[in-house]
Amino acid sequence: MDVIQTSSVKIPNSVIVSGIASTETDEELYDFLKQYGSIQRVIPVDFAEPALDKQVVVEYVYGTAMQSLLPSLPHRLDSKTQTDVTYHIRALASVYTPVASKTATQTYLSELKDIAKLTGKDFAAVLREELSVISESVDLDQSEIQDEDMEQNSPDTPGQYGPDNAAQVSPLPSTAPGQHVQLRCSPPPSKEKTHPALKLSDVNPPDIQKVIVEHIVRNEDSALQVHTSLRLRPFSGRFPRSNNEVDYETWRSNVELLLKDTTQSDLYKSRKLLESLLSPAIDIVKHLTPESPLKAYLEILDSAFGTVEDGDDLFAKYLNTMQDNGEKPSAYLQRLQVMLNTTLRRGGVTASDLDRHLLRQFVRGCWDNILIAELQLEQKKQNPPTFAELLLLLRTAEDKRTSKASRMKSHFNIAKPKVSSYYQGIYVQSEDCDPSQPVLDHRSEIQDLKKQIADLQSQLTRITQKDSRKAKSAARPIAPQTAITPTSQRPHHSRDVNNNTGNRPRPWYCFRCGEDGHIKPQCESEPNPSLVAEKRKQLREKQLTWDIENGVSKPDHLN
């Protein structure tokens, strides 16, 4: 806006044009503007408002050119030679007036605030006084304009004021003959200007003043509340950290937002930063003074708690990040995004290549090829979607899969298949269930079967031990007789021993996991070879003891 004032531009006679190409194509624009009048000068201008195109101010010699051009503004002019060049023509008054008015208002209010601080008065009271002065000034200007219009529209003759303004002649008194008659004329009234009898309350009622003042004060209070409510999450640097603390990267991101706040002073930002630090993090910056810049604080904290790996190492680590077992694709994508942002801050990648690296590593490290094919991610590498778009696609696909699996399970009532070739089921009925609708509880069914097998196994073991003791006691008194018994009777004894071999100890454990109470075809546990070997050793010792007690000799292949 400074160029408008320094160049003394006639704003009513000027237009502003954006989209200047600084080439021969601009001659088409000037030829179009010359159709409405002579151009005095062309001034390049750079406004404070964000604009990507170059702008110039074109000032006409006479105001009649603007009067002819104004009905068609704003106007868009497309170049005939270059299709990608477009000029936007607007009246300079429509662009400059709002910006200048806003700047003047802000400057005026800031000066009033300074006056209120210096005098110790309330800002609302100072503003109310100024509004009263402004209202009186507006009333005086309006009354003067009305008086000037009345003087210009009325002729300057004695009759303009009516009979009241004419010379007032007193009635002639009755006189005697010979006496002189004196005419007494009253002087004409003075021509002082009279202001209309308008009060300040008529032009600017107190109710309206109250609403304006309350609105301004309320906005000031709300802005103050926004700044005072700003709070950083605490960070201490301890590991493991407590639940109310954040890691250094999260805390650093919040500090970046604080640094970008231009409405706060550096001292306020330093105080907020120190309030968020806990020991031992605050101990390493205690030697800094309050006047130290924020960069000094952050430089020390970055060297103590920031990432020390360079961008190349982080990018290599990023390329070796694969999807974990049981991890959802959406969770894997979020983990990649966090690592890629850290790599970006360390200079390992550029901001323009973030989406491309993210998609390529996801396709490379995700094990769900069906999902990749469904979303056609391989074909999107040339034009990769953003992180938000890709995350939404993955979560939508995961939700569809989960919903479909739930519907299929409820439709088919799929149960876990059994390992054994035959299956016996029992119905477990609770007290709240209807007797006509039994419920199949697979877990309780397996536990009951294991208990029953364990009971049978323990009963069989007790019976086996009892029979072995009986056979031992019966064999001791007969032992001397066997020495004189004829050889012809020994086969009969061997037949009795063979008949007792059914009581010989048998395996009572599972050949797969080594636990008691079930056998290998019904085992669902993990293999445990060490426990199986130990149980097999115990079985051999028991069988050897039983063979010695019952006089059974080992087979030839075991000797």
Side-chain angles (χ1 to χ4, degrees):
M1 289 302 172
D2 296 338
V3 69
I4 304 297
Q5 298 177 357
T6 55
S7 302
S8 300
V9 178
K10 295 181 180 180
I11 297 177
N13 296 358
S14 304
V15 295
I16 181 172
V17 183
S18 60
I20 301 300
S22 299
T23 58
E24 296 179 356
T25 312
D26 296 341
E27 296 297 331
E28 299 181 13
L29 169 67
Y30 300 137
D31 294 340
F32 172 79
L33 295 177
K34 288 178 182 178
Q35 297 176 4
Y36 297 91
S38 301
I39 297 176
Q40 183 174 2
R41 56 179 174 171
V42 178
I43 304 172
V45 62
D46 184 14
F47 284 95
E49 62 181 9
L52 298 178
D53 299 331
K54 295 182 180 179
Q55 296 179 339
V56 295
V57 172
V58 179
E59 182 181 350
Y60 285 103
V61 177
Y62 305 104
T64 55
M66 281 298 300
Q67 294 178 0
S68 303
L69 181 60
L70 194 61
S72 61
L73 297 182
H75 182 72
R76 175 177 176 178
L77 179 63
D78 296 329
S79 175
K80 297 179 181 179
T81 58
Q82 295 184 6
T83 57
D84 57 340
V85 177
T86 302
Y87 303 99
H88 298 276
I89 306 173
R90 294 174 292 174
L92 181 59
S94 63
V95 178
Y96 178 78
T97 303
V99 178
S101 301
K102 182 179 178 181
T103 305
T105 303
Q106 292 177 351
T107 305
Y108 180 63
L109 290 177
S110 63
E111 292 178 355
L112 289 180
K113 292 179 184 178
D114 296 337
I115 294 173
K117 290 180 181 180
L118 295 175
T119 58
K121 293 183 179 180
D122 186 13
F123 175 66
V126 175
L127 184 61
R128 192 180 294 108
E129 294 176 0
E130 292 298 323
L131 289 176
S132 301
V133 174
I134 293 173
S135 301
E136 293 176 359
S137 176
V138 171
D139 295 339
L140 292 175
D141 293 340
Q142 290 181 352
S143 62
E144 290 177 359
I145 293 173
Q146 291 177 359
D147 292 341
E148 291 177 358
D149 292 341
M150 292 176 62
E151 291 178 357
Q152 293 176 0
N153 295 333
S154 301
D156 190 10
T157 58
Q160 72 184 54
Y161 298 104
D164 294 337
N165 295 334
Q168 297 180 357
V169 182
S170 302
L172 295 176
S174 59
T175 58
Q179 292 180 347
H180 295 283
V181 179
Q182 294 181 356
L183 298 177
R184 292 175 296 176
C185 298
S186 60
S190 60
K191 295 184 178 181
E192 295 181 354
K193 296 181 180 180
T194 58
H195 301 290
L198 292 178
K199 299 180 180 179
L200 178 64
S201 60
D202 296 335
V203 179
N204 195 358
D207 296 338
I208 297 178
Q209 295 182 11
K210 182 179 179 182
V211 171
I212 294 174
V213 172
E214 289 180 353
H215 176 71
I216 296 176
V217 173
R218 188 182 301 112
N219 289 341
E220 294 292 332
D221 294 340
S222 62
L224 182 62
Q225 292 177 0
V226 169
H227 295 308
T228 55
S229 62
L230 180 63
R231 185 176 66 88
L232 295 176
R233 296 285 299 277
F235 170 74
S236 64
R238 290 191 297 265
F239 185 80
R241 62 178 183 272
S242 58
N243 295 330
N244 62 333
E245 296 180 6
V246 295
D247 57 351
Y248 183 74
E249 296 297 334
T250 305
W251 179 85
R252 192 67 167 78
S253 301
N254 295 334
V255 172
E256 291 292 339
L257 296 178
L258 179 64
L259 295 178
K260 294 179 180 179
D261 188 1
T262 58
T263 60
Q264 299 298 334
S265 62
D266 293 339
L267 183 61
Y268 172 82
K269 296 176 182 179
S270 300
R271 180 170 63 85
K272 284 296 180 182
L273 186 145
L274 292 176
E275 288 178 356
S276 65
L277 293 177
L278 302 175
S279 181
I282 195 173
D283 297 336
I284 63 177
V285 294
K286 281 185 177 179
H287 64 282
L288 297 177
T289 60
E291 291 79 12
S292 300
L294 288 176
K295 292 183 179 180
Y297 288 93
L298 296 178
E299 183 178 356
I300 296 175
L301 293 172
D302 287 341
S303 62
F305 305 104
T307 304
V308 296
E309 296 177 319
D310 60 358
D312 295 336
D313 293 340
L314 289 174
F315 187 67
K317 183 179 179 181
Y318 168 78
L319 294 178
N320 292 327
T321 303
M322 303 298 175
Q323 184 181 9
D324 296 334
N325 186 21
E327 186 180 21
K328 291 184 177 181
S330 59
Y332 173 59
L333 180 67
Q334 297 178 29
R335 188 156 58 91
L336 289 178
Q337 175 69 8
V338 173
M339 296 186 63
L340 192 59
N341 289 335
T342 306
T343 307
L344 173 64
R345 287 193 295 269
R346 301 297 295 178
V349 294
T350 59
S352 58
D353 295 335
L354 282 180
D355 297 334
R356 182 172 59 86
H357 286 307
L358 183 63
L359 179 60
R360 293 183 63 180
Q361 181 58 28
F362 178 80
V363 174
R364 179 172 173 266
C366 182
W367 311 119
D368 194 348
N369 295 327
I370 298 178
L371 178 63
I372 296 175
E374 287 179 355
L375 300 180
Q376 298 180 356
L377 298 182
E378 290 285 356
Q379 290 75 16
K380 296 181 180 180
K381 287 184 177 180
Q382 299 298 331
N383 188 16
T386 61
F387 167 71
E389 295 174 352
L390 183 57
L391 182 61
L392 181 60
L393 289 175
L394 295 177
R395 294 183 67 245
T396 303
E398 290 172 358
D399 183 69
K400 289 181 179 180
R401 285 188 175 185
T402 304
S403 301
K404 188 172 183 179
S406 177
R407 292 194 304 269
M408 182 178 66
K409 185 175 181 180
S410 61
H411 179 71
F412 292 106
N413 193 16
I414 298 176
K416 186 177 180 180
K418 298 297 177 180
V419 179
S420 59
S421 58
Y422 61 91
Y423 167 74
Q424 282 186 343
I426 61 173
Y427 287 99
V428 179
Q429 177 179 336
S430 61
E431 297 179 356
D432 300 335
C433 296
D434 187 4
S436 61
Q437 297 179 356
V439 180
L440 184 61
D441 191 349
H442 300 289
R443 294 183 178 178
S444 59
E445 169 196 342
I446 295 174
Q447 296 295 332
D448 291 342
L449 288 176
K450 289 182 178 181
K451 290 181 180 180
Q452 293 177 10
I453 295 174
D455 293 340
L456 293 175
Q457 189 69 31
S458 60
Q459 292 178 8
L460 180 60
T461 304
R462 288 196 297 271
I463 293 173
T464 304
Q465 294 177 356
K466 184 177 179 181
D467 292 342
S468 62
R469 287 196 297 269
K470 288 181 179 180
K472 183 178 180 181
S473 60
R476 284 179 182 175
I478 304 174
Q481 259 183 349
T482 55
I484 59 175
T485 302
T487 308
S488 60
Q489 295 182 0
R490 290 183 182 176
H492 177 70
H493 175 71
S494 63
R495 285 195 301 269
D496 294 337
V497 173
N498 291 333
N499 292 333
N500 292 330
T501 55
N503 297 328
R504 194 167 184 261
R506 296 180 180 179
W508 67 92
Y509 56 88
C510 176
F511 291 166
R512 178 181 176 84
C513 64
E515 298 292 339
D516 300 342
H518 63 276
I519 59 178
K520 182 176 180 180
Q522 299 175 352
C523 181
E524 298 180 357
S525 304
E526 296 294 331
N528 191 353
S530 59
L531 184 58
V532 173
E534 184 180 353
K535 293 293 182 69
R536 185 179 292 110
K537 182 178 180 181
Q538 295 177 5
L539 175 62
R540 290 179 179 177
E541 291 177 355
K542 290 183 180 182
Q543 290 178 349
L544 181 59
T545 304
W546 188 89
D547 293 341
I548 294 173
E549 292 176 353
N550 292 273
V552 178
S553 60
K554 294 183 181 180
D556 295 337
H557 66 278
L558 295 176
N559 291 331

